[in-house]
């Protein structure tokens, strides 16, 4: 199977979903922590982040698809890391950032999906699976560093995605 080709074909579409999740997750967490906004003021961001706006029945499927998409991109990216290096500067930085963020993004995606599905499909109540959110949000680093973890994972995802789009645009301009 040509993982590189599949990665390149699916990444732009998945980036739209993942960027939306990253931006809304960062907006919610940083808005609450750094700007003291109440849940009611930024709850709409969490509704977008968890796809609650499309309905309670569909939301877990959306989160599952986004999480699988993230894990897929990380996995195919890992496979491509083993291949020879590139002289293209944008691709180099895309690879470096992807490698650095591999574990934090995988942990964030997996714990977010399991938390959402546990509550939606297994009837998890308040307090069930809180350790998953501790990992997902970086709360294990403590309250002062938690926002920086969110900023690192969300901002890093955006940076890797933007670099990936730049790679695609560069390829298209060379083939035009």
């Amino acid at each position: 199977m040509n993982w590189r080709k599949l990665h390149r074909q699916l990444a732009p579409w998945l980036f739209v979903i993942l960027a939306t999740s990253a931006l809304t997750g960062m907006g919610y967490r940083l808005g609450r922590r750094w700007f003291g906004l109440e849940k009611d003021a930024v709850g709409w961001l969490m509704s977008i982040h968890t796809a609650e706006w499309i309905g309670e029945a569909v939301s877990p499927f959306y989160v599952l698809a986004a999480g699988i998409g993230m894990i897929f991109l990380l996995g195919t990216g890992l496979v491509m890391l083993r291949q020879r290096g590139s002289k293209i500067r944008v691709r180099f930085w895309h690879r470096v950032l992807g490698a650095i963020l591999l574990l934090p993004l995988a942990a964030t995606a997996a714990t977010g999906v399991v938390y959402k599905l546990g509550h939606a499909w297994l009837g998890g109540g308040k307090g069930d699976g809180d350790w998953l959110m501790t990992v997902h949000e970086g709360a294990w680093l403590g309250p002062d560093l938690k926002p920086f973890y969110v900023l690192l994972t969300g901002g890093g995802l955006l940076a890797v995605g933007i670099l990936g789009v730049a790679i695609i645009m560069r390829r298209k301009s060379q083939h035009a």
Side-chain angles (χ1 to χ4, degrees):
M1 174 159 260
N2 188 340
W3 294 112
R4 179 178 293 216
K5 185 175 180 179
L6 196 54
H7 183 93
R8 286 180 179 160
Q9 288 175 338
L10 292 177
W13 301 104
L14 290 169
F15 180 61
V16 172
I17 294 167
L18 298 173
T20 301
S21 182
L23 288 168
T24 54
M26 287 190 309
Y28 178 84
R29 182 53 50 213
L30 300 179
R32 300 252 308 128
R33 178 69 180 167
W34 286 348
F35 301 105
L37 299 175
E38 297 294 325
K39 272 187 181 181
D40 293 343
V42 289
W44 64 275
L45 287 170
M46 190 51 57
S47 176
I48 295 170
H49 182 72
T50 60
E52 292 291 332
W53 61 273
I54 57 177
E56 210 173 290
V58 180
S59 172
F61 292 104
Y62 177 91
V63 171
L64 180 61
I68 289 172
M70 171 63 86
I71 300 296
F72 168 79
L73 291 178
L74 292 169
T76 55
L78 182 62
V79 167
M80 289 187 290
L81 271 177
R82 298 182 331 174
Q83 297 170 353
R84 61 178 166 68
S86 175
K87 293 179 181 158
I88 300 169
R89 201 161 198 61
V90 173
R91 186 171 287 142
F92 169 79
W93 286 111
H94 181 75
R95 285 177 171 212
V96 168
L97 280 176
I100 291 169
L101 294 168
L102 181 74
L103 289 178
L105 288 175
T108 298
T111 55
V113 168
V114 172
Y115 182 84
K116 177 68 174 176
L117 298 183
H119 279 250
W121 292 344
L122 303 176
K126 190 164 178 67
D128 290 338
D130 283 351
W131 68 273
L132 292 164
M133 279 295 102
T134 298
V135 174
H136 181 76
E137 299 175 330
W140 50 274
L141 294 168
D144 293 332
L145 293 179
K146 177 178 171 178
F148 291 101
Y149 178 82
V150 170
L151 194 59
L152 169 78
T153 54
L157 170 63
L158 293 171
V160 169
I162 290 167
L163 289 169
V165 169
I167 292 167
I168 292 168
M169 299 304 284
R170 186 177 193 282
R171 281 188 60 140
K172 285 188 179 189
S173 71
Q174 287 178 341
H175 295 303

